[in-house]
Amino acid sequence: MHENCHLSKMSKFCAVDPVTSMNLSLNDQRTLKLPATPVYKMAAPLQYSSDPQALESYTLHYFSTAFTSQDYADALEMSILFFEGQRSGKLPSNQRLTWRGDSGLSDGSAYHVNLVGGYYDAGDNVKFGLPMAFTTTLLAWSVIEFGSSMQNQITNAKAAIRWSTDYLLKAATATPDTLYVQVGDPNMDHRCWERPEDMDTPRNVYKVTIQNPGSDVAAETAAALAAASIVFKESDTSYSTELLHAAMKVFDFADRYRGSYSDSLNSAVCPFYCSYSGYQDELLWGASWLHKASLNGTYLAYIQSNGHTMGSEDDDYSFSWDDKRPGTKILLSKEFLEKTTEEFQLYKSHSDNYICSLIPGTPSFQAQYTPGGLFYKATESNLQYVTSTTFLLLTYAKYLGSNGGVAKCGGSTVTAESLIAQAKKQVDYILGDNPAKMSYMVGFGNKYPQHVHHRGSSVPSIHAHPNRISCNDGFQYLYSSSPNPNVLVGAIVGGPDNRDHFADDRNSYQQSEPATYINAPFVGALAFFSAKN
């Protein structure tokens, strides 16, 4: 995450058709009688190299703004592939983004704990626990709801989850009554522009304990482990059990020793990933996932006893790494919609309030959209809110559809089909159906961000430039006008402003920085649309 980031993070754009080197206007397209549907050029098997020209083999060339189920499937593959570019640790032999190398191999060793692995959150080289855990929860939720539509990508999706849960397990179980929540000094990291393979900034380790609690990050970690335990329940029973047991322990730790990690760790996590919403929302979110994963009545009782003090009766309109309230309501509404469990009717009502706020024309509509139709929440990393909101729209549509339900918006109702249509507009906008005709997913389409705010992507790879590139020497690549030499395939950047304008500027981190939690919920959304004819 960028040095000046507060509530959001990152993004970017740009354009060159690697195959035809043509940028065609609508008039040109009509004159040439180009096909109405996208033309997809794909070599088999896919090869992911650091050469932008090699992107020819998996670049979607669309001359209209309609996307096919195959287009969504291709975007799904890329959206998962992105996580390989964020990996920390010893890379496996089947690593597909081959311009990356091993990094952070001694993380934790100075503190006598093994914290190798996990993900860098965005365009820097810090492993932040709160967004990593949230990313994991959302990746797992994507698989839980839409994994049946992922087809040949389900293995890659599970691998992306496991890369994180392997790390989170170590962080949660290495030391009793302790959760390791961060590796890397963000203030020192942000003073350098260096690829992770060369990283020589302090790899400080930060933890929450009984004396210095962090209920927010701990409960989110519990949610991630619990959600992932559902993902692996059939394919790897012992791993699933290990995840669930760790989730229960870390949730108990979060609940028993209450406090915000922002208060305990201060400038190590703020302003980067301050817990602005507090920790109550994470406690209810974590309990909800444990209820779903364990079927243990303890968590149902916890939800019933504590819900009213933890946000169950609040109407909140932002779902992000910081604020879990809308996600919790929709997750719990399933129990009412599918099982008519009366205790959860409240969550259905508040889910309706949230959903209705997003749908133009309803009495409670209050969301903002750009002139081009993009949901707009924040100047920094707005697409994180677009992808998380889109995921909730589709998940709630699925829950409603299970019994023919509707969202009640005052005197009017909104159908599941309406929610899907609204979600599709957001997905298509990100993929290139927008006023700029710009895909905000790197590598998808014939016009996408070239100057992504990302250290590893913007600095020559260790294969192209084996000699070390030092902390300060790297800044020439931050300020360079040349496209990133290493294509971070599948990365979704922060996105355009409230007028649909996008500066393809590496230094504009608000628009050009990618992040794991932008991609995670989009994986589920793309899976859903890839299964539609």
Side-chain angles (χ1 to χ4, degrees), residues 296-303:
N296 182 324
T298 306
Y299 299 105
L300 174 60
Y302 183 97
I303 292 164

Side-chain angles (χ1 to χ4, degrees), residues 19-266:
V19 176
T20 63
S21 299
M22 290 192 298
N23 288 306
L24 299 176
S25 69
L26 280 173
N27 286 335
D28 293 331
Q29 294 168 34
R30 293 189 189 105
T31 303
L32 292 170
K33 293 184 171 60
L34 292 167
T37 54
V39 178
Y40 199 85
K41 301 193 178 184
M42 170 95 63
L46 285 179
Q47 297 295 321
Y48 303 100
S49 86
S50 62
D51 178 6
Q53 294 302 316
L55 223 55
E56 171 180 353
S57 62
Y58 49 96
T59 297
L60 166 69
H61 299 279
Y62 56 86
F63 300 108
S64 79
T65 53
F67 298 111
T68 66
S69 57
Q70 183 60 52
D71 300 332
Y72 295 121
D74 294 329
L76 169 65
E77 181 172 5
M78 292 182 182
S79 71
I80 298 169
L81 179 62
F82 158 73
F83 288 94
E84 294 193 13
Q86 299 303 112
R87 283 173 169 172
S88 181
K90 176 75 176 170
L91 300 184
S93 58
N94 63 353
Q95 170 83 9
R96 294 173 296 165
L97 280 185
T98 54
W99 51 265
R100 277 297 321 278
D102 300 341
S103 63
L105 297 181
S106 60
D107 279 359
S109 61
Y111 299 77
H112 308 292
V113 60
N114 176 4
L115 295 174
V116 177
Y119 288 118
Y120 303 118
D121 69 304
D124 57 18
N125 301 324
V126 182
K127 298 193 298 204
F128 290 99
L130 182 57
M132 196 194 308
F134 178 68
T135 292
T136 310
T137 309
L138 269 287
L139 272 176
W141 200 3
S142 289
V143 169
I144 289 165
E145 300 299 345
F146 305 112
S148 61
S149 300
M150 291 182 182
Q151 298 181 7
N152 65 343
Q153 289 307 306
I154 188 67
T155 302
N156 290 329
K158 286 183 175 181
I161 294 167
R162 191 160 187 154
W163 193 268
S164 189
T165 52
D166 281 352
Y167 170 84
L168 294 175
L169 272 175
K170 292 188 285 191
T173 61
T175 308
D177 294 322
T178 300
L179 174 67
Y180 295 95
V181 300
Q182 187 167 311
V183 181
D185 178 335
N187 296 289
M188 295 298 289
D189 181 271
H190 291 158
R191 291 177 192 168
C192 292
W193 194 266
E194 58 188 355
R195 56 199 182 190
E197 295 82 3
D198 285 337
M199 180 168 50
D200 57 356
T201 49
R203 299 303 284 172
N204 296 2
V205 169
Y206 302 90
K207 62 187 178 181
V208 293
T209 62
I210 295 172
Q211 294 78 21
N212 292 288
S215 301
D216 28 34
V217 66
E220 183 61 62
T221 301
L225 296 171
S229 77
I230 300 172
V231 169
F232 292 103
K233 193 166 189 176
E234 293 183 5
S235 59
D236 192 335
T237 308
S238 61
Y239 188 62
S240 172
T241 302
E242 184 183 7
L243 291 169
L244 183 57
H245 287 164
M248 295 167 85
K249 285 189 75 170
V250 76
F251 180 79
D252 182 65
F253 170 73
D255 186 47
R256 192 182 299 263
Y257 309 107
R258 294 192 183 184
S260 171
Y261 93 136
S262 302
D263 295 332
S264 295
L265 297 176
N266 302 306

Side-chain angles (χ1 to χ4, degrees), residues 218-499:
E220 183 61 62
T221 301
L225 296 171
S229 77
I230 300 172
V231 169
F232 292 103
K233 193 166 189 176
E234 293 183 5
S235 59
D236 192 335
T237 308
S238 61
Y239 188 62
S240 172
T241 302
E242 184 183 7
L243 291 169
L244 183 57
H245 287 164
M248 295 167 85
K249 285 189 75 170
V250 76
F251 180 79
D252 182 65
F253 170 73
D255 186 47
R256 192 182 299 263
Y257 309 107
R258 294 192 183 184
S260 171
Y261 93 136
S262 302
D263 295 332
S264 295
L265 297 176
N266 302 306
S267 63
V269 297
C270 294
F272 314 101
Y273 291 101
C274 261
S275 183
Y276 297 99
S277 68
Y279 59 81
Q280 302 284 2
D281 58 308
E282 275 87 10
L283 285 172
L284 189 59
W285 171 245
S288 301
W289 276 109
L290 277 161
H291 165 63
K292 187 175 176 70
S294 71
L295 305 177
N296 182 324
T298 306
Y299 299 105
L300 174 60
Y302 183 97
I303 292 164
Q304 291 168 335
S305 300
N306 297 285
H308 65 286
T309 62
M310 293 181 173
S312 67
E313 296 171 22
D314 302 345
D315 278 321
D316 183 76
Y317 303 101
S318 177
F319 181 48
S320 69
W321 58 263
D322 179 36
D323 195 339
K324 314 300 154 53
R325 287 173 289 184
T328 303
K329 295 187 178 73
I330 284 179
L331 181 66
L332 293 178
S333 73
K334 185 175 195 275
E335 301 261 344
F336 177 74
L337 286 163
E338 296 187 357
K339 302 176 187 173
T340 329
T341 310
E342 287 302 321
E343 295 91 334
F344 292 109
Q345 183 170 9
L346 172 72
Y347 294 95
K348 199 277 181 185
S349 299
H350 284 283
S351 293
D352 283 355
N353 294 346
Y354 168 72
I355 292 296
C356 295
S357 75
L358 302 169
I359 307 299
T362 65
S364 49
F365 172 65
Q366 61 167 270
Q368 286 186 295
Y369 291 88
T370 67
L374 181 70
F375 177 63
Y376 194 80
K377 194 80 182 174
T379 55
E380 293 183 19
S381 188
N382 180 63
L383 289 186
Q384 67 174 305
Y385 302 104
V386 179
T387 59
S388 65
T389 300
T390 297
F391 179 83
L392 292 185
L393 282 166
L394 293 172
T395 300
Y396 200 50
K398 179 185 173 185
Y399 295 171
L400 290 173
S402 66
N403 70 348
V406 293
K408 295 175 182 175
C409 306
S412 61
T413 58
V414 177
T415 64
E417 290 73 23
S418 297
L419 305 189
I420 292 168
Q422 187 68 5
K424 187 174 187 297
K425 289 178 187 174
Q426 302 307 303
V427 171
D428 288 356
Y429 186 108
I430 290 174
L431 295 181
D433 187 3
N434 56 58
K437 295 293 179 278
M438 161 71 66
S439 162
Y440 293 104
M441 177 184 282
V442 175
F444 185 92
N446 61 345
K447 185 181 180 186
Y448 54 81
Q450 305 289 323
H451 306 90
V452 181
H453 182 98
H454 188 277
R455 284 161 174 79
S457 175
S458 64
V459 177
S461 74
I462 55 169
H463 308 297
H465 191 294
N467 293 335
R468 188 173 171 278
I469 299 171
S470 68
C471 168
N472 289 323
D473 287 348
F475 280 103
Q476 62 182 302
Y477 302 106
L478 169 62
Y479 300 121
S480 166
S481 60
S482 300
N484 285 18
N486 310 309
V487 183
L488 189 61
V489 178
I492 303 169
V493 297
D497 65 16
N498 62 353
R499 306 299 298 173

